[in-house]
Amino acid sequence: MRSDTMTQVYMGIDLGTGGCRVGLFDDRGRPLAFHNTPVTAIHPHPSWVEQDVDEWWRALVASTRAALARSGIDPAQIAGIGFDATSATLVALDGAGKPLRNAIMWADVRASEQAGRASEIDHWARLYNGEGKDPASAEWFVFKAMWLKENEPDVWARSAWILDAPDWMGLRLTGRPAVNLCSASLKMYHNNDHGGFPVDFYERLGVGDLMDKMPSQVNAMGEPLGTLSPEAAEELGLVAGTPVAQGGIDAEAGMIGMNVLAPGRMALITGSSNCLLAQSAIPLYGAGMFGAHTAALVRGQYTIEASQASTGSVIRWFLENSAKDLVEAAKTGGPSPYEVLNEASKDIPPGSDGVLVLEYFQGNRSPYTDAKARGTITGLTLSHRREHIYHAIQEATCYGLELNLRTMRAAGYEPRAITACGGALSSPEWLKMHADVTGLEITVTEIQDAPTLGSAMMGALAAGRFADLQEAADAMVHYSAVIKPDPARHEEYRYWVDEYAALFPAIRDIQHRTAERAEKSHKAGAEEQRDEAKARISGTVDGDTTGLADFTTMLGDGGL
């Protein structure tokens, strides 16, 4: 039983690319405990990214129990639960709710051919893709569904549910199937101004039956979803019957946790990828950006979005491959490799002494929507050191942000200021670089983990503590600093942003040819390995049992 005299606590769940994070907050937004449990990304082929769905749940259980233990909070004090997860992350479940394969993650772009077919269709659904002028994104949910149906027909036929990751989370917590309106609008072409889901568009793409595998109930973020099921409560160490709010996409949960719920400010959510989001009172469309998405965050408003597929992940790639000594030293008590490289690069001028990077290591999401775009480092000489490349990668993430801001301005949205959260805030130098490159003030929230806070705020709505998201944000979101741009450095950076903007169009055709060549080589190599393994399997008849080991391994990877 939950006592009315107990201090009420609200739980936020953030299922991100790198792990499952749980945060506990009071109704003033004060953090009481956090815990993150890492999850592993699997890269079976170039540009493919998968994760084990069961590992997500194990990570949630571990994080929940650890946060409770760390805080000393009685589970009966948790009055409401909210959640978020990555979106355009496809989960296929059987009738018992068991996953039939690994989740196909948001960053996976295997469905580029399927998305290409959609780009040829004239339909109102395509308004979200730069008013129909931009290619459809291979990341989006419907194209992954197409890929699954066409390439794994057995999995498709056995699937009772094809869900986005947030909707898997809601089902797992409550047992109640629902589609969150945020994912529907931002990743599935749902448009309230045109009647909802574009069923005829799906039919033209050959996946009209997708609607039969998705829940019919559609809820906005923060609206009631259900209550915590007895089975989930037992595993999590919580109380059955605890109210659970409808969750949604992690980036939009971050907007809630940053109080970017009305037109005016922009939200910059930094991490493995960067999301730039804003609310508009009117629909705005333009080449190079996503939206304006109807009711994705607040009913009656429009959400516009631009994003970079790989930012912090490129920094990590660089550290793992070019600064292993610093990474290993940090494990034995040495300083963070970020600290070392920030110190080493602090006097490098804007432009990194001529080194220019395109951070498109996982393709480009906006403004080009190009799954075949690739990372690029140019301008290197024998005088450059690794800190130059590190500094240039940091600058590239800022240049990409400014290029997206230019795109939004061209569509009629004039950003006045940015509210930021996430990984970039841990580096004052990198955060200041964002301000200098864009020329905009950047406000920093006290709670950098805005998605987890935003999810807890949705939990507070489910508990009845607040009437709406805006009231919750006014009470629970607080600010710690404002970073002002340096006008002189901003002016100097204009040149480098112009060069950055010119680089990809200049090498696009080369990148496409080499990406296609590499993909063909990979496929040919994979087919050769399978043919060799099949031949060795046949050798088991003659006593060559090594073939059996190959066969078992291949079955574990999805079979022949």
Side-chain angles (χ1 to χ4, degrees):
M1 294 290 292
R2 182 177 291 111
S3 170
D4 292 339
T5 62
M6 288 183 176
T7 300
Q8 290 194 336
V9 175
Y10 308 103
M11 176 173 156
I13 300 167
D14 173 35
L15 178 59
T17 307
C20 185
R21 190 164 174 82
V22 168
L24 303 177
F25 301 85
D26 66 15
D27 64 358
R28 304 305 300 169
R30 183 170 65 95
L32 306 176
F34 282 104
H35 191 82
N36 182 67
T37 302
V39 294
T40 304
I42 304 162
H43 299 270
H45 300 292
S47 301
W48 290 26
V49 191
E50 298 184 353
Q51 286 186 343
D52 180 347
V53 178
D54 289 331
E55 186 182 7
W56 290 349
W57 184 254
R58 293 193 296 270
L60 174 58
V61 170
S63 289
T64 301
R65 289 184 172 273
L68 287 170
R70 182 170 298 170
S71 67
I73 288 170
D74 184 334
Q77 291 178 253
I78 297 178
I81 299 170
F83 62 89
D84 68 75
T86 63
S87 186
T89 292
L90 185 145
V91 180
L93 304 176
D94 66 15
K98 303 297 184 183
L100 294 170
R101 67 171 333 278
N102 286 335
I104 303 176
M105 295 298 292
W106 62 270
D108 187 295
V109 290
R110 72 184 69 185
S112 57
E113 191 273 329
Q114 286 77 13
R117 282 182 248 156
S119 298
E120 300 172 359
I121 297 175
D122 182 14
H123 192 279
W124 56 258
R126 294 263 295 122
L127 283 170
Y128 289 160
N129 300 127
E131 205 172 10
K133 301 181 179 71
D134 292 343
S137 171
E139 291 181 6
W140 282 23
F141 185 86
V142 64
F143 308 121
K144 287 171 179 160
M146 290 170 64
W147 183 94
L148 185 68
K149 182 177 181 180
E150 294 169 7
N151 291 274
E152 298 180 6
D154 179 61
V155 172
W156 182 265
R158 292 163 57 206
S159 296
W161 297 113
I162 300 292
L163 302 176
D164 201 11
D167 301 330
W168 166 84
M169 178 69 77
L171 180 64
R172 195 71 170 79
L173 290 171
T174 69
R176 299 191 63 176
V179 176
N180 77 89
L181 185 53
C182 188
S183 289
S185 182
L186 279 125
K187 306 299 180 183
M188 302 175 187
Y189 291 104
H190 185 285
N191 189 320
N192 272 358
D193 291 350
H194 288 270
F197 283 107
V199 177
D200 58 331
F201 181 64
Y202 288 3
E203 290 171 347
R204 292 173 69 179
L205 292 170
V207 283
D209 51 341
L210 174 60
M211 297 302 299
D212 298 329
K213 298 176 181 290
M214 289 171 54
S216 58
Q217 180 67 36
V218 180
N219 300 325
M221 292 175 73
E223 293 179 350
L225 174 61
T227 60
L228 193 64
S229 72
E231 297 80 11
E234 182 177 359
E235 291 191 64
L236 296 169
L238 299 175
V239 177
T242 302
V244 178
Q246 175 64 64
I249 302 178
D250 50 1
E252 276 64 31
M255 293 179 75
I256 297 169
M258 297 158 72
N259 198 359
V260 181
L261 293 167
R265 299 193 66 86
M266 301 202 73
L268 173 62
I269 301 171
T270 67
S272 299
S273 61
N274 280 7
C275 287
L276 183 65
L277 304 120
Q279 292 297 104
S280 173
I282 59 173
L284 295 172
Y285 301 102
M289 73 177 196
F290 298 121
H293 299 276
T294 63
L297 183 60
V298 179
R299 291 187 184 274
Q301 292 185 20
Y302 298 83
T303 300
I304 58 173
E305 176 185 2
S307 47
Q308 296 160 266
S310 46
T311 51
S313 57
V314 182
I315 296 284
R316 285 198 303 274
W317 168 86
F318 175 78
L319 295 179
E320 291 167 359
N321 290 279
S322 300
K324 289 183 179 179
D325 56 323
L326 301 182
V327 174
E328 292 303 316
K331 293 177 181 178
T332 58
S336 160
Y338 299 96
E339 293 176 6
V340 175
L341 289 170
N342 284 339
E343 177 64 24
S345 62
K346 67 179 182 180
D347 294 325
I348 295 176
S352 298
D353 288 329
V355 179
L356 193 60
V357 170
L358 293 178
E359 78 287 10
Y360 307 160
F361 281 50
Q362 195 67 25
N364 175 274
R365 190 180 298 154
S366 55
Y368 302 115
T369 316
D370 193 332
K372 295 177 183 176
R374 293 294 183 263
T376 302
I377 303 173
T378 188
L380 286 170
T381 71
L382 295 177
S383 67
H384 289 115
R385 302 178 301 279
R386 69 178 173 183
E387 52 263 36
H388 283 91
I389 301 175
Y390 173 79
H391 192 260
I393 293 172
Q394 287 185 315
E395 288 182 326
T397 66
C398 300
Y399 298 160
L401 169 62
E402 173 59 16
L403 183 58
N404 280 320
L405 288 171
R406 290 182 178 184
T407 301
M408 288 183 169
R409 291 185 185 104
Y413 189 89
E414 186 61 43
R416 299 195 298 267
I418 293 173
T419 302
C421 73
L425 275 64
S426 61
S427 170
E429 298 86 358
W430 196 12
L431 183 60
K432 182 62 164 60
M433 189 185 289
H434 282 79
D436 289 342
V437 170
T438 63
L440 297 175
E441 286 187 358
I442 298 179
T443 299
V444 178
T445 55
E446 283 187 3
I447 303 299
Q448 295 186 16
D449 193 347
T452 307
L453 174 60
S455 287
M457 291 159 61
M458 289 188 277
L461 253 68
R465 175 62 183 84
F466 300 106
D468 54 36
L469 289 174
Q470 188 61 67
E471 183 182 352
D474 291 341
M476 297 179 70
V477 179
H478 310 284
Y479 305 101
S480 61
V482 176
I483 312 301
K484 295 183 179 296
D486 180 322
R489 290 178 76 84
H490 174 61
E491 193 59 36
E492 191 169 359
Y493 268 127
R494 284 182 185 272
Y495 169 82
W496 293 105
V497 175
D498 289 343
E499 295 298 339
Y500 169 93
L503 181 55
F504 178 67
I507 63 174
R508 183 192 334 243
D509 291 345
I510 296 173
Q511 289 206 343
H512 283 191
R513 291 196 299 270
T514 55
E516 290 166 2
R517 176 78 175 213
E519 180 64 21
K520 287 179 181 178
S521 296
H522 178 84
K523 287 181 178 178
E527 290 172 1
E528 183 177 339
Q529 288 179 357
R530 291 193 175 199
D531 289 343
E532 180 182 345
K534 288 178 181 178
R536 292 178 66 190
I537 290 165
S538 66
T540 59
V541 176
D542 300 320
D544 180 6
T545 57
T546 56
L548 182 60
D550 285 338
F551 181 71
T552 305
T553 299
M554 293 178 72
L555 285 179
D557 289 338
L560 300 176

